[in-house]
Amino acid sequence: MRFFKIIAVIVILLIGAYAASMYYFVDESKDFRIEKEIDYPVEKVFNQFNNLQNFTRWNNFFTSSKSIDIDYYTPYEGQGSSISYTDSKNDTDGELFLRYENPNKTLRYQLFEDKNESPTSVDVKFKAVSPEKTKITWIVHTPKLSVLRRVENFWTEDRFAENIDKSMVNLNNVLGNKVEKDNQMAAIKYDSIMVENEEEKLLLGINVSTSNKKDALYKNIVMNYNKIYNYTTMDLGKKDDEFGFPVLITDADNYKDKEVSYFLGIPLSKKFGLTDNNFSFRTQAATQNYVMYYKGNYAGRVKAIQQLIQKAKKDEMRFNDIRQTFIERPADDQDVNMKLSLSVFK
């Protein structure tokens, strides 16, 4: 009995010492600042923060768990918007409110975690460093913690900084694809041949051989695009802003053949494990291209391809494959809107 009393006294003294050290040497709340820069215009960056549906697509706090369930409340964008979330696997829940907005300059969030009545307050400031670069500053104020929980303040800043680092990678990927799509749409000039240098791309897609009879080829393309899109969005959980326009790669002059072989894929930012052997990754090498935009029925693309080939022959350039980038998703009984790129070299 005496032994247990001694143990009890020691435990009480340790708890007392811990509580005293927390009370005198650790602040009840924590304030810190984190700064980052991103190579995109401030108006495009800001929209990824003040629209909470965009925000949850790249913020690692939400994307790191596949078991999280998010509800969005109107207005979905700007001051007054909010969400609630539950994560059954990690046994957490909370609410996020956007309390203040000064467009392209400042936002203020309040995050209530796990029924805590005191929120974490986060001010986010945006500054245009240049027309194509934005500085983002997070100013964080954590809620007051009880004496026994103040030890959490030792790792709060590191945890928040790690989340921002991972989130910025995701945001770069989202904006990269979004800006690329916007730029391509703005640059469209139909029926004119242009010269472009194209960077290397990573594509996730399918290798296909199919009939070239009348509408059979296009119907096959639509079917396989839907397979790739569904696998990418449903099985892999990717959002539309996380990948680029679908690209079909094939021999430049196989439009004359009875059977056509092609690779159809969606550009992604990095490789990862695949759960379906029907799909594979393919690296599209960097090339110089003769380019023409085309809009109309799919069969009509042949004339544009012939023009590109004639241009290459006239310029005494050799050529490889033709890349058909669908600016609008291929769909049954619809005209195509596409970019035709013939890779050329001396």
Side-chain angles (χ1 to χ4, degrees), residues 64-303:
S64 59
S65 172
K66 292 187 177 181
S67 58
I68 198 166
D69 182 45
I70 304 171
D71 290 318
Y72 300 88
Y73 304 103
T74 56
Y76 299 117
E77 181 176 325
Q79 186 170 323
S81 56
S82 63
I83 63 172
S84 63
Y85 66 90
T86 57
D87 191 340
S88 55
K89 186 175 180 180
N90 296 306
D91 194 29
T92 60
D93 60 70
E95 295 176 303
L96 178 69
F97 297 88
L98 207 166
R99 299 297 196 191
Y100 172 77
E101 173 187 37
N102 185 0
N104 297 331
K105 292 184 178 179
T106 309
L107 290 173
R108 176 171 296 156
Y109 303 105
Q110 283 189 333
L111 173 64
F112 292 83
E113 296 183 87
D114 299 322
K115 299 180 174 61
N116 191 336
E117 293 183 1
S118 298
T120 297
S121 296
V122 183
D123 286 342
V124 186
K125 296 186 177 182
F126 303 83
K127 182 179 180 181
V129 179
S130 71
E132 298 298 326
K133 179 174 284 192
T134 302
K135 180 179 179 180
I136 309 170
T137 303
W138 289 262
I139 303 168
V140 183
H141 177 75
T142 65
K144 295 179 180 180
L145 296 178
S146 65
V147 169
L148 294 180
R149 288 187 57 196
R150 285 188 195 178
V151 67
E152 296 176 22
N153 283 333
F154 283 123
W155 56 77
T156 297
E157 183 173 353
D158 289 340
R159 188 182 65 176
F160 199 92
E162 181 183 6
N163 180 74
I164 286 180
D165 286 340
K166 293 178 179 178
S167 297
M168 291 297 289
V169 172
N170 296 339
L171 180 58
N172 261 300
N173 292 336
V174 167
L175 285 172
N177 287 322
K178 183 175 177 57
V179 170
E180 179 188 1
K181 289 178 181 179
D182 290 346
N183 289 343
Q184 287 192 19
M185 292 297 287
I188 289 180
K189 295 179 182 177
Y190 293 99
D191 303 321
S192 298
I193 296 178
M194 296 166 283
V195 180
E196 285 186 1
N197 292 319
E198 188 171 6
E199 296 180 354
E200 182 179 278
K201 282 183 180 178
L202 178 67
L203 303 173
L204 169 64
I206 300 177
N207 283 295
V208 181
S209 290
T210 189
S211 169
N212 194 22
K213 291 181 181 178
K214 202 171 181 182
D215 297 330
L217 174 58
Y218 184 61
K219 288 181 178 178
N220 185 264
I221 291 170
V222 172
M223 178 187 71
N224 283 300
Y225 169 74
N226 289 333
K227 286 181 183 177
I228 300 166
Y229 181 80
N230 290 336
Y231 179 69
T232 305
T233 56
M234 299 176 71
D235 293 66
L236 302 179
K238 299 293 183 182
K239 307 295 185 183
D240 284 3
D241 283 342
E242 295 181 75
F243 53 85
F245 295 116
V247 179
L248 185 148
I249 304 174
T250 188
D251 290 338
D253 55 1
N254 74 353
Y255 58 85
K256 298 177 289 186
D257 299 335
K258 292 181 179 179
E259 187 170 286
V260 171
S261 296
Y262 66 84
F263 178 87
L264 179 63
I266 291 176
L268 291 173
S269 58
K270 62 181 180 180
K271 282 188 177 181
F272 42 80
L274 300 177
T275 57
D276 190 328
N277 292 331
N278 292 311
F279 301 92
S280 62
F281 283 105
R282 175 168 173 171
T283 301
Q284 175 185 296
T287 55
Q288 183 182 61
N289 302 324
Y290 285 171
V291 171
M292 179 178 285
Y293 286 91
Y294 167 76
K295 193 170 187 177
N297 64 67
Y298 187 69
R301 82 200 182 285
V302 171
K303 183 178 178 181

